[in-house]
Amino acid sequence: MLFRSDGNVTITTTTDNVNVNTAVSSTSGEIRITAADSVVIDNTVTTTGDAWVNAQVGNITRNLATDVITADNLTLTAGNTIGAVGTPLMIDAETLAATTSTVNAGDIVITEADGVALNAVNADNGASDLSLVSTTGSITDANGESGRAACRER
């Protein structure tokens, strides 16, 4: 099954989790996925436009390595964690903003397909871990710096 649109796609629940278990695609529109609790990426989410995934109090996770979020600009916001050690969230984006905001350990664990520019990445707890891996490209910050310069504490 495929959920496809030439325009914008919005998937929202105000009381529970969102489990994306069918491919979601927009040729050039925005994709917005919002859950009151957690979001599980269990298929592909693809647009040449922008995408937002928001798990208000829970986690953003995936099941299979082929469950990839593809977007030009990708914004991830979770009340708890984004990805996990051993099952990182798989993305293919030009720019990335990722934030966890929790009093718990709000780790961010992401694997990027081909390089990404970081807009803002913030694990909002001093005990949180951040792991961002690019399989074939570079990771740069908003100033175009890569390597240590892009990853320094600000």
Side-chain angles (χ1 to χ4, degrees):
M1 177 180 245
L2 171 69
F3 183 79
R4 184 176 182 274
S5 171
D6 291 330
N8 298 334
V9 175
T10 302
I11 301 169
T12 303
T13 179
T14 57
T15 60
D16 209 350
N17 301 326
V18 170
N19 186 346
V20 181
N21 56 12
T22 188
V24 176
S25 176
S26 174
T27 52
S28 60
E30 299 175 347
I31 296 177
R32 294 179 182 266
I33 301 170
T34 303
D37 196 354
S38 294
V39 175
V40 177
I41 305 299
D42 199 10
N43 210 307
T44 58
V45 175
T46 306
T47 183
T48 58
D50 300 339
W52 292 263
V53 180
N54 181 5
Q56 294 178 344
V57 297
N59 309 303
I60 301 172
T61 59
R62 58 102 174 155
N63 282 328
L64 301 174
T66 56
D67 301 334
V68 179
I69 303 172
T70 302
D72 185 31
N73 299 301
L74 177 59
T75 302
L76 305 169
T77 307
N80 201 9
T81 64
I82 298 173
V85 173
T87 54
L89 190 66
M90 308 300 282
I91 68 167
D92 184 357
E94 295 301 313
T95 61
L96 171 66
T99 303
T100 57
S101 55
T102 182
V103 295
N104 300 318
D107 296 344
I108 297 176
V109 184
I110 297 173
T111 295
E112 161 59 34
D114 61 2
V116 66
L118 302 179
N119 185 1
V121 177
N122 182 18
D124 197 31
N125 180 316
S128 299
D129 292 327
L130 170 63
S131 172
L132 179 58
V133 174
S134 176
T135 57
T136 62
S138 61
I139 299 171
T140 60
D141 69 4
N143 299 318
E145 296 176 337
S146 62
R148 282 198 123 127
C151 297
R152 68 180 175 269
E153 209 171 311
R154 298 191 189 246

